[in-house]
Amino acid sequence: MIGLGLIGGSLLRALAASGHRVLGYDSDPATRATARTAAARAPAGARWQIMGSVRDAVAGAELVAVAVPLPAVPDVLDELVATGYSGLVTDVTSVKGPVRDLVAQRLHRQYSRLAGFVGGHPMAGRETSGFASADANLFAGCAWVLCLDPADEPVTTLSDWLTVATLVTSLGARVVPATAAEHDRAVALVSHVPHLLAAALAATAAGDPLALTLGAGSFRDGTRVAASPPALTAAMCGGNAAAVVPALDAVLAALAEARAALTGGEEQTGQSAGAARDPIAALRPWLAAGYAARTGWPPAPGKTLDLPARQDALLRLGRAGGWITAVAADRRTVTATRPASAS
């Protein structure tokens, strides 16, 4: 395990609790010290080791998980190349296209593979960060994207994908197959833009002491992720700018519609405020779409089924919003669930 923040530390704890032998490393000496102290206090049989270098952490490993922010990924990949590591690599970075490209450039050396790779992203987290916030149960029930690229961009083999999917489902997570581009487009909508909206709302309210005193559930829930470290949010959103910009534009357009409903559209039509339509009545249809979407989320699971462990079948499942809960021992089929609306 390379990187021992919230996600990397939680994965280290989860793997150790499942009986795996886990070696960890973080570039921060203080984090390494914290993780060593925690290991000594962990139950027997669920402990881990913290190493002093990447080389020591990956020596003899069958799988290396990279859990560092996007700007740090190139250096980590270069360090893996320097060690001669030739096993399997996965990552938990919140942007997948740039990581896939970095792997192709640095780890695969123009597809002459030094190591196998499966891009991943567990949709789990908290506004707090660091190893002290790590939790072995963080991934239970969460959606965990594992990327399968098109046949003309063979960064990941199906065999490697199934290996990582088997491990992830053993931790209680739901594996969602997707291409890197599909992942980045989707998380721009449900993760990256919400971080920007939370930051904007929190910063806007910060100048009004009365508003902050009156802030309750809607403000707390709407701004929770604004408490995430700015450097991590900047790396996440900036690293996915190509997908975040159109998603942000769509939200801004929707907010512009809400503003027009509140003003009665007089700015566009030249109407006076007195002649404007009723803003309460105008807002109702605008609010209805969001109400329907939120009350229908999360999607109810449909029937469980067995699917062939083929790339085309797996990607169709992911595009329908489905997920995998197990990989068969012979790796020919997977246990899958689609949302009830898509079943």
Side-chain angles (χ1 to χ4, degrees), residues 176-192:
V176 180
T179 67
E182 288 167 345
H183 165 276
D184 290 354
R185 175 191 56 78
V187 297
L189 286 168
V190 298
S191 176
H192 301 171

Side-chain angles (χ1 to χ4, degrees), residues 136-166:
N137 297 313
L138 184 66
F139 309 114
C142 87
W144 191 313
V145 178
L146 291 180
C147 290
L148 271 171
D149 293 288
D152 59 345
E153 298 179 16
V155 174
T156 299
T157 68
L158 181 59
S159 176
D160 286 344
W161 192 93
L162 291 169
T163 295
V164 178
T166 300

Side-chain angles (χ1 to χ4, degrees), residues 177-263:
T179 67
E182 288 167 345
H183 165 276
D184 290 354
R185 175 191 56 78
V187 297
L189 286 168
V190 298
S191 176
H192 301 171
V193 167
H195 274 76
L196 297 178
L197 291 175
L201 178 57
T204 302
D208 189 334
L210 175 60
L212 295 176
T213 295
L214 298 180
S218 58
F219 182 76
R220 180 193 63 238
D221 296 344
T223 62
R224 180 183 61 82
V225 294
S228 302
L232 294 180
T233 301
M236 176 176 67
C237 296
N240 196 26
V244 170
V245 168
L248 185 59
D249 285 344
V251 173
L252 290 173
L255 291 174
E257 292 177 3
R259 188 181 190 282
L262 289 167
T263 61

Side-chain angles (χ1 to χ4, degrees), residues 263-320:
T263 61
E266 67 261 22
E267 293 177 0
Q268 286 75 33
T269 64
Q271 288 180 306
S272 66
R277 55 182 174 158
D278 177 8
I280 296 176
L283 273 176
R284 286 175 185 152
W286 184 88
L287 290 165
Y291 173 82
R294 186 59 178 83
T295 55
W297 180 87
K303 294 181 179 179
T304 298
L305 64 155
D306 289 333
L307 289 180
R310 299 195 318 262
Q311 184 184 59
D312 59 338
L314 294 170
L315 288 176
R316 280 198 301 271
L317 175 71
R319 288 162 185 158

Side-chain angles (χ1 to χ4, degrees), residues 69-88:
L70 180 61
V73 170
D75 289 343
V76 171
L77 294 180
D78 287 346
E79 287 189 76
L80 287 176
V81 170
T83 69
Y85 178 75
S86 59
L88 183 56

Side-chain angles (χ1 to χ4, degrees), residues 18-140:
S18 297
H20 295 279
R21 179 174 179 264
V22 189
L23 306 181
Y25 170 77
D26 194 280
S27 60
D28 177 30
T31 298
R32 295 200 299 271
T34 299
R36 285 193 184 102
T37 299
R41 296 172 179 170
R47 293 174 180 164
W48 54 88
Q49 292 178 270
I50 302 301
M51 315 306 288
S53 68
V54 169
R55 181 176 295 276
D56 290 340
V58 306
E62 296 178 4
L63 173 68
V64 169
V66 177
V68 300
L70 180 61
V73 170
D75 289 343
V76 171
L77 294 180
D78 287 346
E79 287 189 76
L80 287 176
V81 170
T83 69
Y85 178 75
S86 59
L88 183 56
V89 178
T90 190
D91 79 304
V92 295
T93 314
S94 59
V95 184
K96 299 273 54 87
V99 174
R100 176 203 59 200
D101 295 342
L102 287 168
V103 166
Q105 296 161 8
R106 284 173 152 81
L107 197 60
H108 286 177
R109 304 294 192 186
Q110 301 298 322
Y111 301 122
S112 177
R113 295 173 186 272
L114 176 65
F117 176 76
V118 181
H121 180 203
M123 300 303 295
R126 297 170 176 161
E127 65 275 17
T128 54
S129 62
F131 188 85
S133 298
D135 181 357
N137 297 313
L138 184 66
F139 309 114

